[in-house]
């Protein structure tokens, strides 16, 4: 599992989680459903640690080479 966060040039706090799961093209929703609870936990922990709101959450599918917005 590789997770990272960063603050973009617009001062938005972004959480990005890399996933290596096989997923069919057009079935990205399967990744969202599978990892939604996990990403919510990461988001809450990050917000508590940094004392600020996470503005955007993404999954990067290494299999699809695609960023998926949560």
């Amino acid at each position: 599992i590789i997770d990272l966060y960063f603050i973009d040039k617009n001062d938005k706090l972004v959480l990005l989680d890399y996933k290596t799961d096989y997923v069919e093209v057009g079935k990205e929703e399967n990744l969202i459903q599978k990892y939604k609870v996990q990403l919510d936990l990461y988001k809450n922990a990050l917000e508590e640690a940094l004392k600020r709101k996470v503005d955007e959450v993404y999954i990067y599918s290494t299999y699809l080479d695609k960023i998926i917005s949560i």
Side-chain angles (χ1 to χ4, degrees):
I1 298 173
I2 301 172
D3 297 295
L4 67 93
Y5 70 90
F6 59 92
I7 298 171
D8 73 7
K9 65 183 178 181
N10 297 316
D11 199 40
K12 289 185 178 181
L13 179 57
V14 179
L15 173 62
L16 178 64
D17 190 17
Y18 288 74
K19 297 298 184 191
T20 60
D21 303 47
Y22 167 79
V23 61
E24 293 179 36
V25 174
K27 303 279 184 161
E28 293 86 351
E29 184 64 31
N30 292 347
L31 279 180
I32 294 170
Q33 293 305 314
K34 183 174 181 179
Y35 292 108
K36 177 93 171 84
V37 171
Q38 179 186 36
L39 288 170
D40 283 344
L41 289 170
Y42 291 166
K43 178 180 175 247
N44 291 338
L46 187 57
E47 288 177 340
E48 188 171 317
L50 298 180
K51 304 295 187 224
R52 65 177 285 180
K53 179 175 138 328
V54 171
D55 298 294
E56 298 173 2
V57 179
Y58 299 101
I59 290 175
Y60 176 73
S61 169
T62 59
Y63 185 82
L64 294 174
D65 190 25
K66 181 177 183 180
I67 294 175
I68 302 162
S69 179
I70 304 298

